Amino acid sequence: REAQILATLNHPNIAAIYGIEEADGVLALVLELIDGEDLAARLRRGPIPPREAVVIARQIGLGLEEAHEKGIVHRDLKPGNLKLTPQGGVKILDFGLARIYDAPPPLADTDPDGAPSATTLASPMTEGGIIHGTPAYMSPEQARGAALDQRSDIWAFGCILYEMLTARRAFAGNTTSDIIAKILEREPDWTALPAGMPPGLEHELRRCLEKNPKRRLRHIADARFDEHPTALSDGAAGASSRGPASRLPTWALIGAAFIAGGALAWLRRSGGAPIAAAPIARLTLTIPADQTLEIVAGARPLAIAPDGRRVAYAALKNGSTGLYVRAVDAFEPVALEGTEGAGFPFFSPDGQSIAFFADGMLKRVAISGGAPVPICEAPGERPGGRGRGGTWGPDGTIVFDPGDSGLMRVAAAGGTPTLLTGRDKAMDARNYWWPEFLPDGRGLLATVNGLETPGDYIALRSMETGEWRVLGPGDQPRYLSSGYLVYHAPHLKEGELQAVRFDAAGGTLQGQPFSVLDGVFRAAGSGGIYFDLSRAGTLVFAPGGLAHTIVRVDRKGRRTPLSEDRRGFRFPRLSPDGRQVAVTIDPRPSQIWVYDIERRSRLSLVNTGHSIGSVWTKDGRRIAYSKTGGTMWIAADGSGVAQQLSAFPYPSDFTRDGRLLVDEGTATHGLDLRIVTPGGPSGTLLATPANESGARLSPDERWMAYVSDESGRGEVYVRRFPSPSEGKWIVSTSGGHSPAWSPDGREIFYMTGTTLMAASVAVRGTSLVVGTPLALFSGPFDTTQDKSFDVFPDGSGFVMVEVDPDTRPTRLNVVLNWIEELKKKAAEP
């Protein structure tokens, strides 16, 4: 694009392109070498006298006039993109963000508020709704992400002229938000202009910096610097009228024009595209320092638009999660208002809207802004109430996973979701997540769990016949229009992507899978891997892994490692005597291990199938854990064989007499609490329309702490045990999960984000008095699910899983035209 733009321009105030070369697969532009310093470097030495500033400004204006007449808007004009030559000339550089049209752009109409209307032409590479450029030089319409015309360059021109005269930016601030706020709401400090400046010059400057583009200069040629003779010397005027290129030898000008013309012809012969396949390019999008990429069990908090131009992600900022959109050619992400609590985003087929889960709802929001629109209820299965992924079909149908009730279907316009059923009722009843429509909408890919063979598998559903077909092991499948299936392969290696040829029409895999990428970040929980692909083959992923450590943390937050191992630890649970800790270790299929804290030894307790969670019996002799089909238990020393304890999964706590509290997922109202007698009956302990989970008993077993989302988010509550209907008290005040009691029963601990909270509790007659929660400490801890820590029985501290800071994603890697790299790997023996 930059080559195409530069090849249309031949002007002494614009840096020229001399050719395009390709060597060893690298495509390069041959550009004019320009001696001198850029204007930004000059301004660091102080303001420029008005006479000299006008000379520079006039040459900038001449170059812009040439570009605008050719239908080109620069969009990133700033001092760093202006070169001052030793001969007194000026060259405009860097048309990488410019827009090119087949004809000069018509002036955009404006509404009464001065915002560009929808009639403004959109670029083939970038569209309205996305911010492009350098914040300090953006026009108000550019800062709003609206479509642009040449008047945005005129605004930037005014900012540059003001800075030349004052050595101060017209709109400065400590952050991008501060700068944009000043651009939209405030005027420059006009008193900073130098005394004695020609009044006509200030008038032209003010016209350039009109916030309403309707009142701004309409053409850069309208800036009448010739009307300020006192600001120019004769010699300077002569130099600026012709520019430094007039001093070049005639043969150099002819040669430059010939080479530039040849480059333009070369581009035109190729239909405006490079002759060779588009090169692979790698970009890094840094997550701003005040944001944390959402880390949720099973989550994939990022998505890429179908055309590969934008990335959406969910991030935590100021204690609240929201959605952000980042164009791959933009400097900063744009927040989507009204998306608090959002997660699991996915794009519409046209890339103009994003669907997401929040507040127990499936919603959609336009990338151009505006209030989110509810689509339907999606209560999920966990506190917080969110589904686990969705896909938007070409006919306006959305298929999503609300939890463990099967895939649901709903119109993107809104309505009542219906269960996606087909010919095979047994397959329909399985657990599905990460649905993905094939391009024609007639096929649906998904990850399925709960088959006869443990683990995750990729399945294909015909939307016409309702028939399911299991393709093979793996999860999070993504289809490329070039005929490849890319997916996560946790059964082989954590964080590895594999690819295989896929016949979408026949629904069959062809050939053998092969590895295409390693080291992708994978969240704890059900193993969500942070990557996405556009149809055309642009890849986005978060680098990292699951290197966690088990640590002891005291009440002041001081950490001591309990093992040198760095693995995918989750769900630490201490033995009653505090000498051992049982943990779940990812990747899938997850396993149960027991670590001896004093001896620094370890025991693989359960290493078959997919097993998670650990609960010790009160005597420390046995450990219960969740496995497909229910709850199992086994001797804590590994002797004997595991036996099924209950058909209900998710154990949370034992009573002294050996009964077990479990979380039970149902299709009607999410999670309930049940109590199970080994080898005997079970009964409902607490069932409400909300989700209840993670129950922990007080030391005297008179009270039960648990998590419920009845308020719309997960909070910690206490009820009586074993009669929960006789009273209820709320413990947390701003969200919480993973409750645990102090050994003396006088405190309840829980997590809010990565902060461990403590609330005092005291019995007053038949009631409970709960104190105001206090923050004990925060840290890089894995808090992606309930049961994320435990309390030492002597009250000395806590056992937690520490996340290696190097493994928390702080950036997103984008690979443009990644499909070419995939094809090369496919051709390798």
Side-chain angles (χ1 to χ4, degrees), residues 246-269:
S246 61
R247 300 188 180 92
L248 292 175
T250 302
W251 64 266
L253 292 175
I254 296 174
F258 176 81
I259 294 172
L264 175 60
W266 181 85
L267 287 165
R268 287 175 174 168
R269 285 198 306 270

Side-chain angles (χ1 to χ4, degrees), residues 166-219:
T166 65
R168 296 166 54 178
R169 287 184 174 176
F171 303 96
N174 294 326
T175 68
T176 299
S177 298
D178 292 339
I179 294 171
I180 290 178
K182 290 182 179 180
I183 289 171
L184 297 177
E185 301 170 4
R186 301 183 187 178
E187 288 290 314
D189 181 5
W190 298 113
T191 64
L193 294 173
M197 191 180 70
L201 182 59
E202 180 176 344
H203 174 72
E204 297 295 336
L205 177 57
R206 287 178 178 267
R207 291 181 65 198
C208 291
L209 293 178
E210 281 281 354
K211 296 189 186 298
N212 187 337
K214 199 171 186 177
R215 296 193 294 267
R216 198 178 305 152
L217 285 179
R218 299 177 70 84
H219 297 281

Side-chain angles (χ1 to χ4, degrees), residues 463-653:
M463 298 300 290
E464 297 174 337
T465 67
E467 180 182 1
W468 282 101
R469 176 185 301 176
V470 178
L471 300 179
D475 70 8
Q476 294 183 230
R478 306 298 284 169
Y479 174 74
L480 291 176
S481 298
S482 53
Y484 288 92
L485 199 63
V486 179
Y487 58 95
H488 181 213
H491 58 291
L492 298 178
K493 186 179 181 182
E494 171 191 323
E496 178 174 300
L497 296 183
Q498 289 217 326
V500 64
R501 292 285 302 181
F502 177 62
D503 176 12
T508 58
L509 303 180
Q510 300 176 334
Q512 294 298 314
F514 54 96
S515 176
V516 290
L517 185 64
D518 195 7
V520 183
F521 181 86
R522 186 177 67 83
S526 58
I529 187 168
Y530 289 17
F531 91 102
D532 200 10
L533 282 168
S534 72
R535 294 284 190 216
T538 296
L539 169 70
V540 59
F541 70 96
L546 258 184
H548 298 173
T549 54
I550 312 171
V551 294
R552 178 200 296 265
V553 188
D554 65 17
R555 293 181 69 100
K556 294 184 178 181
R558 293 172 294 202
R559 303 188 293 274
T560 304
L562 298 181
S563 170
E564 300 301 321
D565 288 358
R566 299 175 70 251
R567 306 179 69 177
F569 294 115
R570 289 192 296 146
F571 307 131
R573 201 64 175 265
L574 286 162
S575 60
D577 60 9
R579 296 180 179 179
Q580 295 174 293
V581 56
V583 290
T584 300
I585 297 181
D586 280 337
R588 296 175 74 99
S590 299
Q591 303 175 2
I592 307 295
W593 286 64
V594 175
Y595 279 73
D596 189 300
I597 296 173
E598 295 180 357
R599 300 178 60 241
R600 293 295 180 107
S601 62
R602 58 190 178 188
L603 168 69
S604 175
L605 188 67
V606 181
N607 55 19
T608 60
H610 179 58
S611 308
I612 61 173
S614 310
V615 179
W616 296 77
T617 57
K618 296 299 183 183
D619 60 11
R621 294 181 179 180
R622 302 180 74 86
I623 293 176
Y625 59 92
S626 178
K627 192 170 184 177
T628 303
T631 297
M632 309 290 289
W633 66 348
I634 190 172
D637 61 4
S639 62
V641 297
Q643 298 175 334
Q644 182 153 342
L645 175 60
S646 168
F648 302 107
Y650 313 127
S652 58
D653 204 0

Side-chain angles (χ1 to χ4, degrees), residues 711-776:
S711 67
R713 66 182 177 186
E715 300 279 8
V716 176
Y717 295 83
V718 173
R719 287 181 183 256
R720 290 185 180 277
F721 181 82
S723 304
S725 61
E726 296 179 2
K728 180 178 70 173
W729 297 265
I730 186 168
V731 177
S732 57
T733 58
S734 57
H737 64 88
S738 303
W741 295 79
S742 64
D744 59 9
R746 296 179 180 178
E747 288 182 293
I748 295 177
F749 307 104
Y750 64 91
M751 298 298 300
T752 294
T754 59
T755 300
L756 185 73
M757 308 293 294
S760 63
V761 289
V763 179
R764 295 290 186 268
T766 60
S767 184
L768 199 68
V769 178
V770 180
T772 301
L774 301 175
L776 294 186

